[in-house]
Amino acid sequence: MSGRLAVIGLGPGDARLLTPEAEAELTAAAALYGYGPYLDRVPVRPDQARHASDNREEGARAVAALRHAAAGAQVALVSGGDPGVFAMAAAVCQEIEAGPETWRDLDLAIVPGVTAMLAVAARVGAPLGHDFCALSLSDNLKPWDLVERRLDAAAGAGFVIALYNPVSRARPWQLGAAFERLRKHLPAATPVVFGRAVGRADEHVVVTTLDRADPAAADMATLIIVGSTQTRAIARPGRAPLVYTPRAVQGARSRRVSA
Amino acid sequence: MSGRLAVIGLGPGDARLLTPEAEAELTAAAALYGYGPYLDRVPVRPDQARHASDNREEGARAVAALRHAAAGAQVALVSGGDPGVFAMAAAVCQEIEAGPETWRDLDLAIVPGVTAMLAVAARVGAPLGHDFCALSLSDNLKPWDLVERRLDAAAGAGFVIALYNPVSRARPWQLGAAFERLRKHLPAATPVVFGRAVGRADEHVVVTTLDRADPAAADMATLIIVGSTQTRAIARPGRAPLVYTPRAVQGARSRRVSA
């Protein structure tokens, strides 16, 4: 007998951004696995087993969920945001490759979700409206000089940059070093967005500029967007500025439109 | 009186990937604007005005929706996928910047959605599991040599690359040229995914390699993911291969896990 493993994106945390497909997979599961704070977003149901684990235990968590599904159960493994973006889907694929042949025959479903950069971008306008990249600042899984090379390549070629995993207790200096690196490529006035917990009660979104961007304003739950030379901030009376990157490289058209 | 403009991401097309927030905004709107095929996804309601427009008319469509909202109506402007990724949110911001001051005072909501690259990635595994970029191949709004520079920068620095707008009737050769360019940086066996209409009745997803990637297999509705040197395809008996990019740069760990 073979079960099913659904790797589910919960979105940024607001229930209104949880897709019906994710909701249906959560409902159908006999057991839930996930990092504790993500699992806490799923309402408790007495007939559903819950297996919370720690942040850094992705491999072990994937293995436990795969074993449980391979034993015939319907298992859900939850991720914040989208499971394919710096999250559990890659860990599951990696364990399937390394694990017993029978795991390749499992019914595996990956359920996409709204990843943090899309939610943060939507809050401030459209900073990802032109070519962009997503880069994890964690150097747990890659050397720091590679992070620097990627920052250089992305900023130098005009990509807007979304920074995931900007900081943690064990990685206090990386975000400051990244801003320093980016200041070599980008003007001081380049818009920078700090977005934390979008859609949740403790949402905090700040629009600033590269010269004023303060690494201390970010924590583990913050997603940062650094604009390109084309990215613009539009002042609005009584509202937060709109930040967007025009679709055309030449910048905003100069014509004005009558109301 | 001032109305409200909601710029809504419909996701890749499967109703199960339409968020509750997008659904609520569609329900609340008195008028809908959008590119015809996207608008066709929203069920017709006799009390809701519908204004379909052509693919290339983003600016005019944004202006029409903004004027309507500024006149006091609750207006929804729909995009496929996420409205902030090569879609309508940037066009709206641009027209707000260029338009009358009163538009800056509008109640503007941007509702994120599951963008195509996330849906395609989920179908095949986790190709976006490590650093990646999203690049539009359209040279309508930027010069082709800039597209080439960005392909060089992204592939050279080890980003997985999601290609939006790979081809159209007016742009028949760009995708082939992009594959040629990428072949200078990446091995022949680099996994390439063609994903079309994920979650819809005419879904078509193909996993191939860079040396065999055929530009003729793509159309306007196709999203293409080109792996990095780290991206792997895992054969599965009786199933499509799993494609993923390990979170760690050194590739899959060599240990095997017992079942």
Side-chain angles (χ1 to χ4, degrees):
Chain A
M1 183 169 92
S2 183
R4 173 181 172 86
L5 176 60
V7 187
I8 301 176
L10 298 178
D14 183 339
R16 296 176 310 158
L17 291 178
L18 180 73
T19 68
E21 184 177 17
E23 180 87 53
E25 290 284 1
L26 289 171
T27 301
L32 304 178
Y33 286 78
Y35 171 47
Y38 295 145
L39 215 46
D40 289 345
R41 293 192 202 159
V42 184
V44 172
R45 229 176 58 194
D47 63 322
Q48 215 169 30
R50 298 168 79 91
H51 303 276
S53 45
D54 221 36
N55 198 10
R56 298 281 285 274
E57 297 173 2
E58 289 94 346
R61 186 188 307 140
V63 166
L66 282 162
R67 282 188 180 140
H68 199 156
Q74 185 139 349
V75 174
L77 175 54
V78 303
S79 271
D82 179 88
V85 176
F86 308 119
M88 288 305 299
V92 166
C93 291
Q94 184 164 344
E95 298 302 340
I96 288 175
E97 184 175 21
E101 282 287 324
T102 51
W103 286 2
R104 302 190 182 205
D105 200 32
L106 260 180
D107 183 11
L108 174 70
I110 296 166
V111 180
V114 174
T115 183
M117 67 181 163
L118 302 183
V120 171
R123 263 307 182 264
V124 299
L128 308 179
H130 191 72
D131 302 332
F132 64 93
C133 68
L135 178 62
S136 170
L137 273 195
S138 171
D139 55 352
N140 292 330
L141 297 169
K142 64 188 167 200
W144 180 252
D145 67 343
L146 182 58
V147 176
E148 289 186 329
R149 264 203 289 138
R150 289 182 181 166
L151 290 168
D152 291 345
F159 289 97
V160 171
I161 301 172
L163 297 174
Y164 282 76
N165 306 318
V167 68
S168 75
R169 246 163 296 176
R171 296 182 292 103
W173 55 264
Q174 283 80 347
L175 179 58
F179 285 148
E180 274 311 311
R181 196 89 187 178
L182 292 172
R183 286 183 187 117
K184 296 180 184 170
H185 298 279
L186 296 166
T190 304
V192 174
V193 182
F194 287 68
R196 191 183 181 287
V198 165
R200 303 207 293 274
D202 53 343
E203 171 173 326
H204 190 60
V205 177
V206 172
V207 174
T208 181
T209 50
L210 186 55
D211 59 338
R212 306 177 72 148
D214 175 11
D219 68 7
M220 269 181 64
T222 306
L223 182 287
I224 293 159
I225 298 175
V226 179
S228 71
T229 57
Q230 305 289 306
T231 306
R232 307 171 65 79
I234 315 169
R236 294 189 298 175
R239 295 177 190 270
L242 268 184
V243 180
Y244 81 103
T245 309
R247 295 163 307 138
V249 162
Q250 295 314 318
R253 282 166 287 167
S254 58
R255 73 183 172 81
R256 288 187 76 86
V257 176
S258 60
Chain B
M1 184 170 92
S2 182
R4 173 180 172 85
L5 175 61
V7 187
I8 301 175
L10 297 179
D14 184 339
R16 296 176 311 158
L17 291 178
L18 180 74
T19 67
E21 184 177 17
E23 179 88 53
E25 289 283 1
L26 289 171
T27 301
L32 304 178
Y33 286 78
Y35 171 46
Y38 296 145
L39 215 46
D40 289 345
R41 294 192 201 159
V42 184
V44 173
R45 229 176 59 194
D47 63 322
Q48 214 170 31
R50 298 168 79 90
H51 303 276
S53 45
D54 221 37
N55 198 12
R56 298 280 283 277
E57 296 172 3
E58 288 94 347
R61 187 188 306 141
V63 167
L66 281 161
R67 281 189 181 142
H68 199 156
Q74 185 138 349
V75 174
L77 175 55
V78 301
S79 272
D82 178 88
V85 176
F86 307 119
M88 288 305 299
V92 166
C93 291
Q94 185 163 343
E95 298 301 339
I96 288 174
E97 184 174 20
E101 282 287 324
T102 51
W103 286 3
R104 302 190 183 206
D105 200 32
L106 259 181
D107 183 11
L108 173 70
I110 296 167
V111 180
V114 174
T115 183
M117 66 180 164
L118 302 184
V120 171
R123 264 308 183 263
V124 299
L128 307 179
H130 191 70
D131 301 333
F132 63 93
C133 68
L135 178 62
S136 170
L137 273 195
S138 171
D139 54 353
N140 293 330
L141 297 170
K142 63 190 165 198
W144 180 252
D145 68 343
L146 182 58
V147 175
E148 288 186 329
R149 265 203 289 138
R150 288 182 182 167
L151 290 168
D152 291 345
F159 288 97
V160 171
I161 301 171
L163 297 174
Y164 281 74
N165 307 317
V167 67
S168 74
R169 245 164 297 176
R171 295 183 293 103
W173 56 263
Q174 282 80 346
L175 179 58
F179 285 148
E180 274 311 311
R181 195 91 188 177
L182 292 172
R183 287 183 188 117
K184 295 180 184 169
H185 297 278
L186 296 166
T190 303
V192 174
V193 182
F194 287 68
R196 191 183 179 287
V198 165
R200 304 206 293 274
D202 53 343
E203 172 173 325
H204 190 60
V205 177
V206 171
V207 174
T208 182
T209 50
L210 186 55
D211 59 338
R212 305 177 73 149
D214 176 10
D219 68 7
M220 269 181 65
T222 306
L223 183 286
I224 293 159
I225 298 175
V226 180
S228 71
T229 57
Q230 305 290 307
T231 306
R232 306 173 65 80
I234 315 169
R236 294 189 297 175
R239 296 177 190 270
L242 268 184
V243 180
Y244 82 102
T245 310
R247 295 164 306 137
V249 162
Q250 295 314 317
R253 283 165 289 168
S254 57
R255 74 182 171 82
R256 287 188 76 86
V257 176
S258 60

